[in-house]
Amino acid sequence: MYLEERHEIIEFPPNIPLKIFMHKLGSVDNHWHRSIELLMVLDGTISISIDNTEYSLTSEDIILINSNTIHSLRSESAVMIAIQIDLSRMNQFDANLDEMVFDCNTVTTDDLSKFDGLKFAIATMLNENAHNSYESQYRNYSLAYYLVAELLANFSVPITNAIKTQQKYAARLTRLLKYIEDHYAENFSLSDLAAEEDLSVPYLSNFFDKNMGVKFSQYYTTVKLNHALSDLLSTNDSIETIAVRNGFTESHSFVRSFKKQYGTLPSTYRKQRGQTPATAEASSTLNYLQMEPSNYLHLLTKYLGDIKDQPHTISTRNIVKSEEVVASVSSGVRSLKHNFKKFITVGRAKELLNRDIQNMLIDLQNNIGYEYIKFHGLLSDDMMVVSRINGKLTFHYTLVDMALDFLISIGLKPLIQLSFMPRDLAADPNKTIFYSPMITSPPKHMSEWEQLIDNFTRHLIERYGTNTVRSWLFCAWNEPVTPKSMFGFGDDPLFFKFYETSYRAVKRVDDKLVFGSPSILYMENLGTDKWIKDFLTYAKKNNCEPEFLNVHYYSDIIPMTAKQNITIGSVSFSFPRRTDDFSLWIGSIKKIFSSAGVGSLPIYMTEWNFTLSHRNLASDTCFKSCYILKNLLRNYDRLDSFGYWSLTDLLEENALPDTLFHGGLGIYTTNGIRKSVYYSFYFASLLGDELIASGEGYFITKSIDAYQIITYNYVHYGNLFASGELFDMTETNRYTPFDMTNRLQFQIKLTDLDNGNYCIKELFVNREYGSAYDIWLKMGAVPLDPSDVEIIKGYCVPGMHKEYRLIESGVYEYSPVLDPLEIRFAEIKRIK
């Protein structure tokens, strides 16, 4: 059985006996289930065999599999929706409902109009669950019964003798398979099974082969292998112990069967840390730059009513009050370091010479002020560093100096990432990445790379001075843990040697220069924790230990336990369904570093974003600003930096689309318009240096002469968006994954204030103020001329409210009402 991808896209409560899955189909051998199953093809072609009858289904075809019906499916890469319905739990009106049989197949009927009700029910269920609204569970309940009513009205058929015989055989199969599952470890024979069912061996052999489509011995071996596989991944027991425990007579037969089934030895499989061969293969060719949202479900939107009539697009209806927060300004929780201002990022060194990007950095520095900047490609060919003339290497630093001079002029220190490989040094000049290519090959000769790094480091000290360069940070390479198709060398010992060579070349020039780990993309459950430990073990053994740790985080490619089980490397992406995924990830990476004995080193997160996709439509909305601010405040100073990736949508990693608001990663658009996420960092930069109180939706600080309060009304996306599906999300309608119906009123009481006159100033960003995308919508959602850009920049500022208040009782009650996905900053300052 090979199912490329399967995930439940709607999680119904227990009282609704439905499950809706999205399948990316490979092939599924003969099987059956007690629930009926309704299948709808979304993309591609599926061949399905039901009781030995073949059907070929294409886009929008529907077929129903009755309970206890043997069926198999085959496809190259089709996508479908599967709805499983347990009729036995919906029989309050008909005690025999679970015995009903349906003939529901678009391939065998001429009247396709009968299927409109089913398609409407499916589309409406998806629409109701595109966001997490309270009332959707009631609509789900009614829609489940509506779906069953449509089946009863249009597709129910009489139960024939042939169907009764089939159900009788299904009952026998159920008993047989239950016996196999219960006794798999006992190494029983077909004769034992026949005696249990009071059948002859030849009859049982023929019965099993006919109804299951495989021989008994093959099926029994598969069951034993499945159990052995679980032991292989969850225990440290020997291969011999696992084999005998799971019904194999000895280890050799287990190894042969395992290799035939999975294409590799059990020991090799175990070393891959739980990856199936299919997943291991996908991981080895991972290129996250190709990960984009999918929209297979969009074809169902035509079965809905007018999108304007859908309830989740209503702006706001209810005001929900938060729990009361009482915070004494005379006490503090802890001092704040504001580590989020440690790093900002741009895509590559060459972009630092772009005037528009320089202006964005100047604006950012003038209003927030960062310490370091991270970028790629300081040594890449577009910086024209290396040439080989008559076989002799020559080094040139004109463009490098121009980029570094600019950074110094605006108060930014560089993270000197030694990347990527100049063509004249590369072992494989054709190993490239990005739309504007950079070479990610190892060097052909390690000595030549060492020569370059030595020469480059000496140049930096000669030009900028020892003390200045000692205040910078150095590291080698980007994300070597990724496969060879990306930044990895495909050879860990080779990379470790490359790191050591780079480290020693820098330290040989000045051993007080600060050298850290390469950028590490930590993906839990994909073996990266082992890579981290192997790297740190090597560094310690060879006396080249990093002086800081350098990590990256992207929500849509970090397969935490709370996420859907999406194959990394597929065309779609997914997000965690729980809201604390980022906090859990920080805890996991800190635990790994601590267990490796380097927990005291600074941990710089030098890349961080909700998504790696350059086309995620939510990135331009108020969701991004609220998501970033929420996670930043919930994890304030837990790491030594939070380097948001990236400064601007103007990145040369993928081809740039013509549309301005295309879902890019940046704080600024390609032409320098501040997006709403800019104000997440701006508001945080206005916080005081001492924390008074924090909790869900609020963060309260104090400075020498004022108090600061940030509030936010975070709304988590619905399950469809979590599973990587856009459904009814469009360029001009991007809030459909969110329940936008509830405003949130905070009840915050500051106590122990000095009596006197205070100025209360509020800044807020929501769909009315400070959100460039929403302002663009109001302007008509059309392409902007250069003169339009300057106008929209003037509009892209927060809303503001200011008042004066006399405080006589030492108490100030703050009760702002926030729209969904709104962020708000307030300063309470005494007037002297």
Side-chain angles (χ1 to χ4, degrees), residues 495-514:
F495 177 79
F496 296 162
K497 184 63 179 177
F498 173 83
Y499 162 82
E500 180 186 359
T501 300
S502 306
Y503 176 97
R504 298 203 187 287
V506 170
K507 291 288 190 176
R508 190 179 302 119
V509 176
D510 183 348
D511 64 2
K512 288 186 172 55
L513 297 181
V514 182

Side-chain angles (χ1 to χ4, degrees), residues 439-456:
I439 298 171
T440 58
S441 164
K444 186 174 183 180
H445 302 292
M446 200 69 73
S447 60
E448 291 187 339
W449 173 259
E450 183 177 16
Q451 182 184 348
L452 167 61
I453 302 309
D454 179 273
N455 186 276
F456 176 52

Side-chain angles (χ1 to χ4, degrees), residues 54-91:
E54 293 278 342
Y55 304 99
S56 180
L57 281 68
T58 59
S59 180
E60 295 192 60
D61 274 334
I62 288 179
I63 194 168
L64 184 141
I65 314 296
N66 286 293
S67 62
N68 298 321
T69 301
I70 305 295
H71 59 285
S72 62
L73 301 95
R74 296 187 307 280
S75 174
E76 291 297 323
S77 59
V79 180
M80 69 179 186
I81 281 183
I83 304 178
Q84 293 179 354
I85 309 172
D86 184 357
L87 292 177
S88 67
R89 295 173 54 203
M90 304 181 73
N91 60 4

